[in-house]
Every structure is written in structure tokens, then in C-alpha cells.
Amino acid sequence: MIRQAKGKTPRRPPPKKPSNNQKDPVGVYCRVRPLGAEDVECCIEVISNTTIQLHAPDGLKANRNGEFKETQYSFKKVFGIKTTQGELFEDVAKPLVEDIIHCKNGLLFTYGVTGSGKTYTMTGSPGQGGLLPRSLDMIFNSIGPYQAKRYPDDKNGMEVQNQVDALLDRQKRDSQTTVPKTPTTRRIDPEFADMISPEEACKADGVDEDSSYSVFVSYIEIYNNYIYDLLEETPIDPIKPKWNGAGTPLRNNTEFIPPQSKILREDQNHNMYVAGCTEVEVKSTEEAFEVFWRGQKKRRIANTQLNRESSRSHSVFIIKLAQAPLDADGDNVLQDKNQVNVSQLCLVDLAGSERTSRTRAEGSRLREAGNINQSLMTLRTCIEVLRENQMCGTNKMVPYRDSKVTHLFKNYFDGEGKVRMVVCVNPKADDYEETLLVMRFAEMTQEVEVARPVDRPICGFAAGRRQRNQAFKEELTRRLEECGGPVDGSPTVLNQLLQSFPPLPPCVISGPNDDVTLPRLIEALEKRHKIRHMMIEEYNKTAKMLKSVLQEQDSNLLSKENFIQEQRGKLGEKEKMIQNQKNEIDRLEKKSKMLEYKIDILQKTTNIYEEDKRSLQQELESREQRLQREMSEKRRVETRMQGIVTDAKLKWEKECERRVNAKQLEMQNKLWVKDEKLKQLKAIVTEGKTENRQPQRPSRENDKVPAKRSASPSPVPTGPPVRPLHRRSHSAGGERWVDHKPTTNVDLDTVLQPNIPNAIKVNAPNEKALSKCDKYVLTHQEVASDGEIQTKLIKGEVFKTRGGGQAVQFTDIETLKQENPVASSRKRRSSGTGPDGETMEGDWTDVETRCSVALEMRAGSNLGPGYQHHGYPKRRKP
Ligand code: ADP
Ligand code: MG
């Protein structure tokens, strides 16, 4: 039966999209064909059953300075040169055929360069049938016994016809025609015969026997982005000029009418279909082969007539399987449109994937080749975008509409189904560069995922309905046979009886004396009467038997009806339960959605908190670091300050001590000078009294103080003469010294140390010592203005007073001073005074002048407090 697709493709059973989020990657298989006889160099090596290795041919290597490396590509499975068509089918197409029988869609295409074995893989050759004939064979082997006798033409409504009607229909057709119906006797093209050997025949498991099946095939070719129906029967119109799909008018062609291109449409389920495409219902493998072959022939003729290159077109063979469940009795097809499933398997032999340059195409052919390339390019782009969308979660538009091939397969990638690709490769070196591109595309295709088709729910009736029905029919026939009942025109008891009916003798009476005819007639009639009786009896018997069978059947039916009623009741209960459960599921779904929403919010909150936590932690860390830095800085400053403080403290301690010492000395000296003055005054006073008592002694002789104080030069020099400074002393050997060193003096580690031989060393001057000596020296220490200690040796001469006492007259001072060269130079620079600074001299002028006045010490007189140096606090030695 041939029909045209009008408007809509067969319905997809579930209008609602199945909620299936399981996905499978596109299954990519690689088949390596054997090297052709004319080819020598091979550039492909099968490494394992999933990997192949490409290596650049020698020429190419030389061109690229040998920098070319070997590349490996992995696929779901790699089929080497020894793989048979059967083995390939087993792995690649068999699962797709099983799917279509179980109401799932499939797409299988071959991809590769021209000559790589795409057509060989898809179609095959006599004795080596490819994937297409094997798929058809497997389908018919599996559903053969369960095929519907006729399928309704109306695809839109898909009215499922009663199987009894179909049977009657068939019977009517059979009686009208004499064409033999057995498929084996059909006219099969020899080229297509023996594609599959009987021992290779296979069958799908788990075929639903309680369904009725019908197979429809269509065969299209896409050339130059135009779709042609290869099964269309074109009426011959020799007058009207024809145009091919590409818009080229065909001249001078009265026999060949090129096919008109078809358009693609989308049905209400968003499935793409070729509008007005012929769909042929086929009942057997052979019939399907024949249809395919018809298409092939048409394709070949078109290619020749239109000067087309066959490798540049895509061919698509579509197998549609309609499947309708039987009713509860297993008798009729269920009259429920929603229960009818139509699944389809697309077998695509794509055009050669090589670039235009390689085809040496010219002119219009080049344009065609360009277009073909364009459609393969679109296929590549679609796969790329799909992959990107799936991997990166983007939502880019997939350009399916850019070419007919991709547009036709849109549903497979957008909807659900199993998609498989066989990448065919020719290992010859010439193909190397094209093969590289093919491999890259194939590897990328593997990363695209397609929604896994869901299992369709089977109708609610118990399984095994067809078998039970069949068994019942057989039982009925058997019983009827047993009873000699009429079964399908076979010779029965009744027939035998009818045949043994005695024929009536001639009934013409020859004359009044004819006494033979009547008695013969009577005899025959009697015989017949007897037989009639027998027949009536037989009839009654059979009727009775039939009645009993029918009654039995009736009771069976009754019980069946009861059973059905019972089942219906149960079904109702079950439905109620299902409804309840559905409600429950709804409730739970709502709840889960709510919870998901909450989880989402919580997740977001957690994220915010975590973000906060992270930033706070970072801040804490940075602050801690800063603190640590500051602490270490503080410690460093502290130690430095401590060092400075200790230094300063030490320095100041030293300085203070030095200053205290200096002050002490100064004070001591002042005190001593005061004492001396006091003593001198006292002496003057006492002397004056004595002078008053003695006659005419010039009072001024010994008392220099008033003279000096008056500052008037004395006309007569009195007292011992003052020796000039720096005068050389007498020879040391002749003089005796009183060496007066107050205990308060500090030991200085100076190089120059006063050392007076023959000296009487005293802490305080006493009369006894003075009486024995004629020279006196006082070692006096004081702090100079620069802070250094200077030692002065105040020298004087001892002479006897008239009163019998001892007096010392200071004559000169030797100064011993230690100084820091740096400080002194600084000082020099600043003051400009010489080493014998006037200041020092000046300081002492008063004392000196005063000390140059003779001191008269009486024998036995007390030296006074000025000499009690020991009274000062004891000093620490430096
Ligand atoms: P394509 O369709 O890719 O252009 P074909 O299927 O027409 O290539 O193959 C080209 C030639 O190579 C054919 O003669 C075919 O018989 C042969 N061939 C291809 N694949 C195989 C194979 N696996 N084993 C043997 N011959 C093959
Ligand atoms: Mg081909």
C-alpha cells in the first residue's frame, strides 16, 4: 500500500514530553576499510578496539620538516578491516532496531570522505548486506507474525482498523486477484537478493505479542539542499518543460521527468517531516528491499540524467513502525488512538565530507559541491553549538534550519532518541588530511548528549492476549473437526453424504404398460428419503453438538464477562488508588519544590555568610599581621631606647660624679681660701698687737695684705722678695720640702706626677715639719672651666718669724692639666685663649695676690679649719 504523507507525520503517542533527564552521548563508531589495491601507503593503525592512530604520510612529513606527530582518536568502538557486516550490525544497528520495536526513535548515519565505505557500510553488496537490509530483516523477523493486515491510510487520525475487517478485506482482495501473495515469490532485483544469509537472521527480544504492527518506509535524497522523494511515482509529461530542484531547466528530455523537491514541515508534536513524501507499507524484508531498490534505481537515473555526482548527495531511508495494542480479548486492535505508537529509524548515508577542492568539481557542480559542503558544515556547526551549550550551560541557538539535513534531524538532538554515527575511514595516505578533519569532528560529536528515550507504558491489559485468542480458535476448529463440522471447505461427513446421494432415475413413462420406471423411481425416492432421514439425524446431532459447544462458549463468555466485570471493578479501584497516589505525588512534589526553594534560599544565605566570614577572616588576618609588625617594631624601638637610656644614664652618671667632684673641690678651695684669709687676718691682728708692744718695727714689713689692699707701692721693700715666676729653683739637693697633699686629692693616672726628693709628706701642714724645711708645696686640685681636673702645685718658701713661728710665703704655682684633645681644640677654636688661659690665671689672681702675702705661722698656733681637709666626705676613686 502506498500513501502520501499529508500534512502530518504519524502521531507520537505521548503528547506530553516525557520527563526524562537521562542523557546518552552520541555513539560514535569508527570503521576502517581495507586499503585499496591501487593504494600502497597506509596512514591509519588500529591500536585497540577503541583507539586508532593517524600518522602523516611520508610526503607530508617531508614537507613539514618532519615535525608532524602521530595523533590518536578514541571512539566507542573501532572496527578494523576484518570486521564483517554482521559484526558491525550486531554492535551498531541492532540496539537501534530493538529500540524501534520498543517504540523508541533512532538515527544512524555514516560519515566520511568519498570512498571510505559509507555506502558499503549502510547498504552493502550482494552477500554482504549492510546495516540497512539487516535492520529491515531484523524488524520483519521480530514482528512478522504480529503484523496488522492493513493499516489505515489516514495518518492524521490514525484510525486503527478492526483486525476482522482487515481479514475480510484481505479475503476480498484474494478472491478478486490471482497475483500470488507469498513474499518469496515477489520480483526481487537480483542485485539486492541474498544480502543476508538465512543463518545470519536475527530477531529482537521482548517483542510485545499483544500488539499489531505495520511498517512504512520512505526514501529521500537531499541534493544541493533540495529534498527529493525517491519513491514518488512521477507521471510522464512530455510536453511541459521540467525544472530540477536547483532551478535549472531541463531541455530535450521527454522520457525522464526529474523529481520535484519537497519541503520540510513540523507537526503539532514539533517533529519534522517531509511534506507529501511517499510512505510505502511493506510486509516483508523482500518487499522492503524492493522498495529500497526502486528508490536506488531512481536515484541512479536522476544522477546520470542530471549529471550529478552521487557522492555529493545525502540519502535518508526512514523506517516507521506503527504499533497498536490488541484489546482485552486479544482479538481486535484497541480503539484508542493514544495507545498507538509510531517510532522511526532513520538510516542516513551522508555525502562525502571532503572539501570542494578535492573533488575537482567545475561550474554548476562546484556550486553543488559547495552546497553539500555547506550542509555538512551546518551539521558540524550544530554539533559544535550543541556541545558548547551542554558543556558550558549556554543557551545558544542551534542553526538546524540552515540546512535541510540538520533541520530534518532536529528532533533527535532537541527531543529524544538514540543517535549513532559510523565514521568511515580509508587508510590510504591521500586521504590523510581529510581524515584528520573527519576524526576531529567525530571526537567532538561524541561529547554531545541526547535525551534517552523513555519506555512507553504498555496498555493495561494482561499480557498473552493474542496467544489465548489463538489457542481458543484452534480449540474450536479441532472440536468442530472431531464432530465432522464444516471447517474451511475440507471434505466432511456431510459432503460425503451429499456425494453418496443416489441420482434420480429417468422419470419418463414410456406407456401404460411401463411398470419399471415408477417402481425404480419409488425405490430411489425411498433411498433418498432414508438418506434424508440420516442427514436430518446427522444435522440434529451436529446441531446439538454445536449447541452444546456454543453453550459452553456462552458460559465461557459469561464467565469471561463476569471476569471482565470483576477486573473492571478492580481496575476502578486501582484507578482510584492511582488517583490518590497521584494527588499524594502532587502534594509531595509541591512540598519538595517548596523545600527546594527553601534550600535554595538557605544556600544563598549560607553563601552570603560564608562570603562575610571570608572577608572578615581576611581582615582579621591583615590586622593580626599589622599588629605583629607593630609589636616587633615596638620591641625594636624599645631595645634601641633601652640602649640609648643606658648609655645616657652612664654618661650622665659619670658627668654628675665629675661635676659633684669638681664642685666639691671648688667649695673646698673656697673654704680653704677663706680660712687662709681668716688666718691671715688673725695673724695680722695678733701681729699688730705684738708690734705695738715692740719698739719701732715697721708694721708693714710682714703684713702685706694691707699694703696690697692699699695697692700703693711700698717704698721700702719688706719681707722676703717675691721671686719671679718660672724661675729655676735651687738645686734640689740643697733644699728640703714640705710636700702637702690633702687627703681629698684624687689619684690621677697622669704621666707627669710631682715627685719631690727629700720631702716630708704631710696631709696637713704642721710646725714641726715646717721647722725642718725651707720650702713648701701644696698639691691642689680643682675643676677647670672645661670640666677637667687640674692639679696646681702652689709653692712657697718657709722662713722663721720673729716670734719663733714658721711662715710660708707663696712664690709660684705650677699647673698640671689633663685635657681631651678634641674638646680642647674645640675650646680653642671657640674662645681663642691660650693654654695658659687668662681666665685660670684670673681666677687665681685674687688668691695668688693674696697668697703671695707672707703667712706667718706661729709656733704652736692652730692651723685652723682650712687645713681640716679630712673633714670632707671621702671620695670615690675614679
Ligand atoms: P563511499 O560511500 O564512502 O563513497 P563506498 O562505500 O562506495 O564509499 O566504498 C568505496 C569502495 O570501497 C566500494 O567499492 C566498496 O566495495 C569498497 N569498500 C568500502 N568499505 C569496504 C570494506 N569495509 N570492506 C571491503 N570493501 C569496502
Ligand atoms: Mg557512497
Side-chain angles (χ1 to χ4, degrees):
M1 180 187 305
I2 296 171
R3 56 186 193 161
Q4 303 269 310
K6 18 172 205 187
K8 277 153 197 169
T9 47
R11 295 161 49 82
R12 285 281 150 101
K16 193 176 87 176
K17 270 227 159 167
S19 55
N20 178 28
N21 6 356
Q22 278 184 308
K23 287 188 162 196
D24 293 311
V26 172
V28 179
Y29 299 83
C30 177
R31 186 184 206 184
V32 185
R33 59 158 281 186
L35 208 58
E38 68 282 8
D39 299 308
V40 215
E41 202 185 345
C42 173
C43 67
I44 291 173
E45 201 183 321
V46 178
I47 287 183
S48 71
N49 61 355
T50 54
T51 311
I52 63 164
Q53 182 168 294
L54 255 76
H55 44 86
D58 292 339
L60 206 67
K61 257 186 218 163
N63 284 349
R64 303 194 183 193
N65 303 328
E67 43 137 329
F68 222 80
K69 62 177 189 293
E70 281 139 359
T71 41
Q72 293 191 352
Y73 296 92
S74 292
F75 302 99
K76 195 163 179 186
K77 198 160 179 184
V78 170
F79 299 95
I81 53 170
K82 292 199 178 116
T83 313
T84 63
Q85 299 278 59
E87 283 163 3
L88 188 82
F89 174 77
E90 193 73 23
D91 276 324
V92 179
K94 202 175 169 182
L96 292 175
V97 176
E98 274 165 356
D99 273 5
I100 186 180
I101 289 169
H102 296 112
C103 311
K104 297 170 188 173
N105 296 331
L107 169 66
L108 172 65
F109 56 95
T110 52
Y111 185 88
V113 227
T114 299
S116 60
K118 297 184 298 295
T119 308
Y120 178 80
T121 298
M122 192 53 89
T123 311
S125 54
Q128 285 163 331
L131 300 177
L132 188 148
R134 280 171 200 273
S135 300
L136 283 170
D137 194 47
M138 182 171 165
I139 290 172
F140 286 106
N141 289 341
S142 311
I143 61 148
Y146 317 121
Q147 286 190 74
K149 292 299 176 283
R150 187 174 74 87
Y151 221 81
D153 278 289
D154 186 7
K155 292 163 156 218
N156 209 359
M158 202 55 175
E159 265 170 30
V160 183
Q161 207 183 11
N162 190 307
Q163 208 176 359
V164 179
D165 286 352
L167 258 166
L168 288 174
D169 242 32
R170 180 115 181 219
Q171 273 172 4
K172 218 188 278 169
R173 268 190 287 143
D174 283 356
S175 59
Q176 280 164 4
T177 64
T178 50
V179 176
K181 289 299 291 176
T182 39
T184 41
T185 53
R186 271 173 181 264
R187 192 171 30 84
I188 304 291
D189 199 296
E191 228 183 297
F192 222 76
D194 301 326
M195 278 287 208
I196 309 139
S197 60
E199 57 268 21
E200 279 186 300
C202 62
K203 215 174 143 176
D205 294 327
V207 179
D208 182 13
E209 294 177 3
D210 295 316
S211 286
S212 206
Y213 298 87
S214 289
V215 180
F216 300 88
V217 293
S218 39
Y219 194 17
I220 57 169
E221 180 180 36
I222 302 173
Y223 189 90
N224 205 17
N225 215 22
Y226 286 96
I227 301 175
Y228 302 103
D229 180 359
L230 292 175
L231 302 181
E232 189 176 40
E233 284 174 7
T234 34
I236 293 168
D237 185 356
I239 302 150
K240 211 173 155 194
K242 294 287 168 187
W243 295 70
N244 71 3
T248 321
L250 291 164
R251 296 171 206 288
N252 207 4
N253 190 350
T254 47
E255 283 155 17
F256 174 73
I257 313 269
Q260 290 297 298
S261 67
K262 303 279 178 203
I263 52 162
L264 278 179
R265 287 230 179 100
E266 192 172 346
D267 69 7
Q268 73 267 37
N269 295 321
H270 306 290
N271 293 321
M272 301 309 301
Y273 69 96
V274 181
C277 179
T278 313
E279 285 183 335
V280 184
E281 184 177 6
V282 282
K283 291 282 165 218
S284 67
T285 313
E286 290 76 10
E287 213 180 316
F289 279 9
E290 199 200 61
V291 172
F292 173 75
W293 193 242
R294 211 167 68 216
Q296 279 286 81
K297 220 175 196 165
K298 192 158 183 179
R299 190 178 172 201
R300 237 189 337 234
I301 294 168
N303 284 341
T304 323
Q305 298 282 336
L306 300 171
N307 190 25
R308 301 199 305 207
E309 206 183 314
S310 67
S311 68
R312 312 264 97 220
S313 69
H314 316 280
S315 71
V316 185
F317 190 77
I318 303 165
I319 307 170
K320 271 184 189 155
L321 182 70
Q323 180 176 354
L326 296 178
D327 62 9
D329 287 341
D331 230 1
N332 305 319
V333 169
L334 194 71
Q335 294 298 318
D336 181 357
K337 290 169 191 175
N338 282 330
Q339 295 288 346
V340 180
N341 277 321
V342 179
S343 43
Q344 70 174 33
L345 173 63
C346 273
L347 300 169
V348 188
D349 185 1
L350 287 176
S353 69
E354 62 275 1
R355 287 163 292 187
T356 322
S357 60
R358 200 173 160 273
T359 65
R360 297 178 296 275
E362 288 165 12
S364 66
R365 273 207 184 188
L366 182 75
R367 189 162 48 86
E368 290 160 13
N371 262 330
I372 286 147
N373 255 348
Q374 192 57 47
S375 63
L376 286 181
M377 188 97 100
T378 310
L379 177 66
R380 277 196 284 267
T381 315
C382 288
I383 295 281
E384 254 167 54
V385 174
L386 271 169
R387 176 168 153 269
E388 195 188 322
N389 281 351
Q390 290 176 359
M391 290 182 130
C392 315
T394 49
N395 199 14
K396 273 193 193 169
M397 218 253 306
V398 186
Y400 295 116
R401 283 162 193 273
D402 289 2
S403 94
K404 294 281 190 287
V405 178
T406 48
H407 201 185
L408 187 61
F409 301 144
K410 176 174 166 284
N411 296 108
Y412 285 98
F413 293 102
D414 266 4
E416 52 159 66
K418 201 177 265 177
V419 182
R420 289 190 168 188
M421 172 165 101
V422 182
V423 180
C424 297
V425 281
N426 189 344
K428 71 172 179 183
D430 292 351
D431 278 2
Y432 174 75
E433 293 208 308
E434 294 296 345
T435 306
L436 260 184
L437 298 177
V438 170
M439 291 293 123
R440 279 180 204 147
F441 170 66
E443 271 213 325
M444 183 179 66
T445 308
Q446 295 188 100
E447 286 168 8
V448 171
E449 291 190 324
V450 175
R452 185 183 294 176
V454 286
D455 286 320
R456 305 261 181 253
I458 42 168
C459 74
F461 302 120
R465 305 188 295 281
R466 184 193 289 276
Q467 262 185 6
R468 270 208 316 277
N469 195 25
Q470 197 62 35
F472 169 69
K473 278 180 189 159
E474 278 164 14
E475 174 69 11
L476 183 66
T477 319
R478 195 182 56 77
R479 286 210 199 166
L480 278 171
E481 261 175 355
E482 270 175 13
C483 310
V487 179
D488 278 348
S490 57
T492 59
V493 182
L494 213 62
N495 285 347
Q496 279 169 14
L497 283 172
L498 279 171
Q499 272 160 23
S500 63
F501 233 58
L504 280 179
C507 306
V508 184
I509 297 163
S510 53
N513 299 330
D514 188 355
D515 49 357
V516 183
T517 311
L518 272 177
R520 214 190 281 162
L521 189 65
I522 288 165
E523 195 191 339
L525 282 173
E526 270 174 358
K527 242 186 194 165
R528 281 197 168 205
H529 182 71
K530 232 190 214 163
I531 288 170
R532 192 171 158 261
H533 255 289
M534 270 168 70
M535 279 177 81
I536 286 170
E537 265 172 37
E538 188 60 36
Y539 170 79
N540 283 342
K541 229 164 83 188
T542 312
K544 229 166 129 187
M545 202 273 297
L546 250 167
K547 222 173 165 179
S548 76
V549 168
L550 281 174
Q551 263 168 2
E552 201 181 306
Q553 210 52 51
D554 259 7
S555 67
N556 266 357
L557 259 166
L558 219 71
S559 69
K560 254 191 189 172
E561 255 167 28
N562 284 347
F563 176 74
I564 286 168
Q565 283 298 330
E566 209 176 283
Q567 291 298 324
R568 278 211 182 116
K570 277 186 190 167
L571 205 70
E573 275 170 31
K574 287 258 150 70
E575 260 167 14
K576 242 186 231 161
M577 235 161 77
I578 286 169
Q579 195 53 47
N580 286 346
Q581 280 178 354
K582 263 187 192 156
N583 292 345
E584 180 67 11
I585 286 169
D586 277 355
R587 198 180 61 77
L588 288 174
E589 261 176 10
K590 259 183 213 154
K591 204 171 154 187
S592 105
K593 247 185 217 150
M594 190 68 193
L595 286 174
E596 266 171 18
Y597 177 71
K598 275 186 187 169
I599 287 171
D600 210 35
I601 288 175
L602 282 175
Q603 191 68 47
K604 273 179 194 155
T605 319
T606 313
N607 284 351
I608 291 169
Y609 279 135
E610 264 173 10
E611 193 62 39
D612 279 2
K613 194 180 139 195
R614 259 202 300 280
S615 65
L616 284 174
Q617 253 169 359
Q618 266 172 8
E619 203 182 324
L620 195 72
E621 267 166 29
S622 68
R623 279 191 185 190
E624 260 172 14
Q625 275 172 2
R626 218 166 58 207
L627 201 70
Q628 218 124 47
R629 267 205 309 277
E630 278 171 5
M631 291 266 274
S632 66
E633 178 69 14
K634 208 174 120 190
R635 268 201 296 276
R636 210 167 51 77
V637 168
E638 229 173 56
T639 40
R640 217 179 63 206
M641 291 315 276
Q642 253 166 10
I644 293 173
V645 165
T646 325
D647 279 359
K649 203 173 138 192
L650 267 172
K651 201 174 125 196
W652 281 109
E653 253 174 24
K654 240 189 211 165
E655 179 67 18
C656 285
E657 202 172 284
R658 203 174 47 75
R659 283 193 190 174
V660 165
N661 284 346
K663 209 72 196 169
Q664 266 179 0
L665 258 178
E666 197 186 323
M667 297 314 286
Q668 203 177 319
N669 281 330
K670 276 184 182 164
L671 211 65
W672 184 77
V673 168
K674 268 188 187 146
D675 275 354
E676 277 308 302
K677 273 185 191 169
L678 217 64
K679 257 190 247 169
Q680 279 180 6
L681 273 174
K682 207 172 158 185
I684 289 165
V685 170
T686 2
E687 206 68 16
K689 275 180 190 166
T690 327
E691 284 300 301
N692 286 344
R693 264 184 272 132
Q694 285 176 6
Q696 282 307 302
R697 280 291 295 165
S699 60
R700 283 172 294 190
E701 234 176 272
N702 287 322
D703 190 359
K704 291 258 168 164
V705 179
K708 194 114 177 148
R709 281 198 182 138
S710 65
S712 58
S714 113
V716 185
T718 55
V722 175
R723 287 170 202 168
L725 286 170
H726 308 300
R727 119 199 99 80
R728 304 285 310 167
S729 61
H730 297 293
S731 78
E735 292 164 341
R736 200 109 192 259
W737 288 81
V738 172
D739 185 5
H740 177 192
K741 269 194 185 134
T743 46
T744 49
N745 276 10
V746 182
D747 272 343
L748 299 170
D749 293 331
T750 50
V751 178
L752 293 177
Q753 291 279 351
N755 183 22
I756 308 160
N758 288 328
I760 297 168
K761 288 190 172 109
V762 288
N763 292 334
N766 57 58
E767 210 170 340
K768 196 181 161 195
L770 285 171
S771 65
K772 286 178 190 167
C773 303
D774 46 359
K775 295 275 186 184
Y776 170 87
V777 61
L778 168 68
T779 310
H780 169 72
Q781 286 180 331
E782 65 179 8
V783 178
S785 62
D786 61 357
E788 294 297 333
I789 292 176
Q790 68 180 9
T791 308
K792 289 189 173 179
L793 301 177
I794 304 165
K795 293 186 282 184
E797 278 178 17
V798 182
F799 53 90
K800 290 186 176 35
T801 56
R802 265 175 247 162
Q806 311 294 327
V808 177
Q809 188 178 12
F810 293 113
T811 49
D812 65 39
I813 298 168
E814 283 179 34
T815 307
L816 189 65
K817 196 182 153 199
Q818 209 179 343
E819 62 181 64
N820 186 342
V822 183
S824 72
S825 70
R826 205 189 308 133
K827 192 167 173 182
R828 251 199 312 277
R829 273 199 307 278
S830 61
S831 68
T833 47
D836 308 314
E838 278 170 21
T839 330
M840 298 298 276
E841 294 288 324
D843 273 354
W844 276 90
T845 309
D846 188 41
V847 178
E848 193 186 322
T849 34
R850 272 177 283 157
C851 287
S852 65
V853 176
L855 274 171
E856 193 185 32
M857 292 179 114
R858 280 171 194 281
S861 71
N862 204 337
L863 270 168
Y867 284 93
Q868 290 167 0
H869 297 296
H870 48 83
Y872 286 95
K874 201 168 164 68
R875 287 172 58 201
R876 195 152 47 91
K877 290 213 169 187

